[in-house]
Amino acid sequence: MTEVTEQSARQTGGAEQAVDLDAVDQIIERHGRHRGAAIPILQAIQERFRYLPQAALERVCERTELQPAQVEGIATFYSQFRRRPVGDHIVSVCVGTPCHVAGADAITESLMRHLDIPDNRDTDEEGRWTIEEVPCLGCCSLAPVAKIGERFYGYLTRDTAPRMLEHFLQTYGGRDADEEPPGRPGGRQEDGELTEIRLGLDSACIASGSDRVRAVLLEEAQRLGAAAHVRGAACAGMYFQEPVVEVLVDGHSFRYAGVTPGVARHLARRHLRGRGLLARGKAALLRAKDLLTSDSAWTEPDDHTLDSRDPATNAFLAGQKHLVMEGAGRLDPDSLDDYEAWDGYRALREVLVERTPEEVIEAVKKSGLRGRGGAGFPTGQKWEHVRARHEDTKYVVMNGDEGDPGAFMDRMLMESYPHRILEGLAIAAYAIGAQEAHLYIRAEYPLAVRRIRRAIRQAEERGYLGKNILGSDFSLRVNIMQGAGAFVCGEETALLASLEGRRGMPHYRPPYPAERGLWGKPTLVNNVETFANIPWILRNGPEAFAAIGTERSKGTKVFALVGRIKRGGLIEVPMGIRIGEIVDEIAGGMQEGRIFKAVQIGGPSGGCLPASLRDVKIDYEELTQHGAMMGSGGLVVMDKDTCMVDIARYFLEFTQNESCGKCTFCRVGTRRMREILERLCEGDGKPEDIELLEQLANRIKGTTLCALGQSAPNPVLTTLRYFREEFEAHVEGRCPAGLCLALIRYEVTDECNGCTVCAQACPADVIEARPYEKHEIDQDTCVHCGSCRDACPRDAIILRKD
Amino acid sequence: MPFTITIDGERLSVPAGTTILEAARRLGRDIPTLCHRDEVEPVGSCFLCVVAVRDRPGLVPSCVARVEDGMEVTTDSPEIRAARRMALELLFSDHPGDCEASCTLACPARLDIPGFLRHVAAGRPEAAARLIRRRIPLPGALGRICPAYCERACRRGQRDEPVAICAMKRHVPDREQQEGAAWLPERPEPTGRRVAIVGAGPAGLSAAYTLLSMGHACALYEARPQPGGMFRYAVPAYALPRDALEHEVEVIRRMGAEFHLNTALGREVTLEELRARHDAVLLATGAQADVPPGCPGAQAAIPALRFLEEVATGRRTDMAGGAVVVGDGQEALAAARSAVRLGAQPVTLLSGLSRARLTRQPGAQDAAEEGVTFETDAELVSLRQRDDGAVECAVRRPGGEMTLVGECVIAAGSRRVDVRGPARWGLEVEEGALSVDDAGRCRGAPDVFAAGEVTLGATWSVRAVAGAVGVAASVDQYLRGEPVVGERHLLCVRMGRVEPAVLEQLCRGYPETPRAEPQKLPAESRRGDFREVRPGLCAEAARQEARRCLNCDCRARDNCKLRIYGTEYGADLHRLDGESRGFERDDRHPELVYESGKCISCGLCVRISAAEDEELGMAFRNRGFGTRVGVPFDRPLSEGLTRATARCTEACPTGALAFKPEEVTG
């Protein structure tokens, strides 16, 4: 074994590490020596060593075509790569939009304080825990969210966050993730007495605990000796009541929402029938025992029953139209049989047998489908451009680098409908004349990668992918590449650069990838949702698709509906639906006591529309006219407690962090905008700041290399357009929403009776305990956490915004 | 198939694939760029090259945008200029460094101090002389009497002692004088133009040198019998020896200056005559009116300027009895110290300043050593000439009243411009000085200029000299028929007083050495004669001292595109200030210096070093605002750049990568 002892100068931990160079060599063997393998090689090294040791990188340069400059460049560009060792466990705190709005800052701060980690470091002394902030984990209904490995924790508070660490160690024994779930137990019984149980097993569902629910169901099935088939189902998007479990027995369907492991146990006992007399007897006994030992045993599952007439579910689903989400709640993502039963791969078959590539393109054009990644470019036209290039080698690339904080549509599509995406992709490849496809999937989506990988295998086995698909001349090889953590790689030229092993820095267009793309060849780049629409269009005809939506925006759009609403989750709605319908009917309006203020559409590239514009339709042009943008599907509903200046600051901070750094206006310009916004939120704003902010925003908008920079000012411009008074208030030192910590104060009123509870609750020792006397908050040292107000039993502490 | 496009209304035909920048160049339109280099693929990083294209939103980077058939391009407009200016301002906001050294900026004449010090360090006094005289044509004089603002700003002084800049400055003409040489600059062909300069004092002589070096002929009209002005008639020889002054004048004479001595304006010659006989006139008549004290009996005191002139011309050679000098400026101290040397005893200086302030004046320490007594916080109430010839001075002080007696009482009031002159010549006066516009031109008389104390009022001589050099530039513009706007300087990025971390970077490679301090003449021997109190440095000491300079000025000072375009587009250096990267200087490469603070992330060096197949080369690190350029794997620069050194350094549009001056070793 070749070993090199290394002491990286960059480590603040200073720990020596022995680097096994044989392992590095093996990695090189596996991935190849050419430049394009750069990122996968580094990813593999990081997986093996948990960071990128200098000695390993040098070995790579020695043994491959990779140059030191290239390696240095990408190892420092992508967020995923670490040059210093990490702790044993990494705690990823989500700072996506809904989590931010729900107070993610407090979570990070609480963890750092608990572990005594100084500001300039991210790992504790003992090297056990590393805290990092990540843009979006996609479990927005559970905000604030954090994960350790693949264990998710939702609804965190400042107090519970540190307890999460203990819980992780105890409950999971420190294991980041479980092995691949075992095959389906129980199998099919010839006597036909199969009980089928379906539940969502997507990342968001798992984050709600559906994997534990599943474990319990399997456990019970085994205990009862029942013939039960517990399987995953495509996401239905009802995150406000996940986990949702559906039991199909004797032709009847019973649905339960918000199922906990405890409820699952009772569910199982109610519905599962054991095989054989002995098993049934045992089951009956267990049921009787339950009856006798507790009252609640029977009421619990009933409380969770989802009647098909359940108003909440109906309201949520009524306004939707499932095209890409066809089969939601039913389709098992892991089953190709299921997909075929839902007309899967029929479109591909027909296309290969009956239609020419040109006819396919005509159909897509006629449908009016526009790119769902955000730009909204007519898809058929794009395909036509690539088709028109006379080149033998062409590529199809799926852009699965969904990076908007608070957006997880594509993740859901990849995890729930992998075959649908592959089918759309294959049809596209056929239409443009490509033989190779690359699926670029974001680093933060390991489950999506696993599902797609499995789907590819299944599809290849059945002849839907690979050589001579379904006996035709058409062949398609599909590769998966995982992103390494760079939001800018959602921009298509940056994505292609990444595929080529380079820094994800966009280049000016034209030339467009259709003309010169991956490795200089004509390339079609489309978003996940765009591909997912294709099978439906070809099966039902472009006219049917074009019948949905508005004049220029056809079909449907998947949105991640989050915020302080009653019902949040993933929805697929027809174009042309009004914002008000989404907020009031589908989402059910605001949570108790909250008032609708604005809706943010399109993530960091989009804009905030005030509640007064609730009649604006979801339509590419109409949204742009009002200053927002369709974007990839993020839709955050904000209430009166949201500070619009803070929201502008938050989005600028995000985009600014993700800027690739190539062009002046984005690299430096957005930084200056961010600094102005930070000043405003900290109460240091000057009157000229608003004008300067506008000047910068307007100039940056027209003068950058790519869409990241071009759209970065949008949140600022819309909030200035519709909420200017909030900016002016901040200049005066006020935060009307009462959010910006520097501009608010907590005060003890005369209601105080000196009970000292606030002093005990204060995490910063800012209140002196004075029994029987009115307490006082030291404004100089107060950290504005609000714990005192939460704790006060007499509501004697108020928040002052002036 | 070529494309037909329109640029600023002009049509042309270019092949497909041509960029807008290339097409514009064919029409002779030079669009500004920073990150573009002909032999390297363009990337569109700096965005200075933006243009407007019809039907395309926003502005387009012309270096990467390819032409399309029928394209209509505008390369200049208020919006485009505003965008370019903002791009430059954004770059400047993240660009720590100094274009010019802080000493240069502190010098009223903006002397390139590190430049001349590098010449001295390399043993090239002739080159040093020519460089110095471009800004300070009288270095021998100023190097002896200037208050040395430059030394106060010297960064070396933040670490140990400032470089002895003044001493170095006079060392050069001293060498020249010793060798009997005159290191004149190369001059262009004579222009055939003639300039009349009225006054051969510091300003007049400096203007003459400058105009002569530009190829014009100069005739100096001096009222007094000898040239030199204040330098001869007010600065005593112990501060500025006569032979040193003679040498300064000789250099100017050898440049071709014509001297008309004993010729006063309004007496021997009129302004109209001068204007008729010359293509331009420059008035440098100085501020030589002494204001007498306003107390009763003032006529009993001798004006200090008159006293000093008498000493300088040899009309007063010795003094008996005591002397009282009233005043506290340089004239007062000069009078007191001259009186000491002429034998007066005791010599008392009467000043309204506090003792602390008075002793801080240049020369005050020396005066005290020579035996001058200071009476401070004192107010002169009245003078009375006694019958025996002595003068009584009634003095009021905080403690009470007192009387001082002296054979001779010398009054050094503030100096003023004699405004009767300009009035007689028909010129405007403003706030007690001759009124000129920003370029130094007299109002209402396009061919008449003025410089020095006649326009500034009494001030330090370095300002008069600097002003004269500046106005000479205006005269030159006038003579060439160009717009008369005076001197234009490129903008200057400056760090000011630096943090310890930055100072450490600047001082790396410079050992701690003490400042060269030539020995003053001992006080006792100073009382008797007018020998120079402070001698100069010998050649070896000067070379050593010159090496103490930290070379704070930017290596790319004169050819930095960022600086040049920033000046052209009127960038406001601080409008978009915010967080910025730190200053770093890496000079461990044998041929070049890398200052990462000045990098604009254009990537030219990254691309060039890759194209040259450097094993390591330069690489981009990190992302976004934190992007930096450096050698991969933290290796030293000397390993990173080997065969691509020259190409990368030449391509660098700022001073980030720059060649080391040959004089600086290591």
Side-chain angles (χ1 to χ4, degrees), chain A residues 175-195:
Chain A
R175 283 192 327 278
D176 274 357
D178 283 326
E179 303 288 310
E180 266 296 292
R184 304 183 192 93
R188 293 194 96 89
Q189 286 290 111
E190 287 84 32
D191 59 8
E193 266 192 21
L194 181 74
T195 308

Side-chain angles (χ1 to χ4, degrees), chain A residues 181-248:
Chain A
R184 304 183 192 93
R188 293 194 96 89
Q189 286 290 111
E190 287 84 32
D191 59 8
E193 266 192 21
L194 181 74
T195 308
E196 194 167 284
I197 303 182
R198 288 190 244 231
L199 72 166
L201 290 174
D202 282 0
S203 297
C205 309
I206 289 172
S208 318
S210 66
D211 55 342
R212 274 170 285 151
V213 166
R214 180 172 171 278
V216 163
L217 290 168
L218 289 171
E219 204 189 292
E220 286 299 313
Q222 196 156 56
R223 199 136 66 100
L224 297 167
H229 196 161
V230 180
R231 54 197 295 191
C235 180
M238 290 188 284
Y239 292 169
F240 61 96
Q241 54 185 16
E242 288 287 346
V244 169
V245 177
E246 188 181 11
V247 185
L248 293 147

Side-chain angles (χ1 to χ4, degrees), chain B residues 97-98 102 105 153 155 158 493-499 502 506:
Chain B
D98 288 310
S102 42
L105 294 176
R155 287 257 170 69
Q158 261 188 261
V493 177
R494 56 169 98 184
M495 289 195 285
R497 197 173 166 79
V498 295
E499 308 253 318
V502 176
L506 291 169

Side-chain angles (χ1 to χ4, degrees), chain A residues 72 76 503 662 664 695, chain B residues 45-46 575 579 621-622 633:
Chain A
E72 176 88 13
T76 56
R503 288 163 65 90
K662 191 193 236 183
T664 305
Q695 222 180 43
Chain B
S45 168
C46 71
R575 193 166 77 95
E579 248 189 75
R621 233 184 250 143
N622 307 333
F633 303 158

Side-chain angles (χ1 to χ4, degrees), chain B residues 533-603:
Chain B
V533 173
R534 273 187 177 69
L537 293 169
C538 69
E540 189 45 43
R543 268 180 95 140
Q544 300 269 29
E545 184 62 21
R547 288 208 189 93
R548 289 181 74 240
C549 171
L550 299 176
N551 293 284
C552 304
D553 57 332
C554 179
R555 299 277 66 72
R557 188 182 61 190
D558 299 319
N559 58 4
C560 168
K561 292 170 87 175
L562 185 64
R563 193 181 186 204
I564 292 168
Y565 287 129
T567 309
E568 186 185 321
Y569 282 86
D572 178 339
L573 289 179
H574 296 288
R575 193 166 77 95
L576 298 175
D577 263 354
E579 248 189 75
S580 97
R581 56 183 77 194
F583 175 86
E584 258 177 38
R585 180 196 275 188
D586 183 350
D587 56 3
R588 290 169 290 184
H589 190 287
E591 289 157 63
L592 58 84
V593 183
Y594 176 40
E595 291 185 8
S596 61
K598 300 175 181 173
C599 172
I600 59 166
S601 300
C602 70

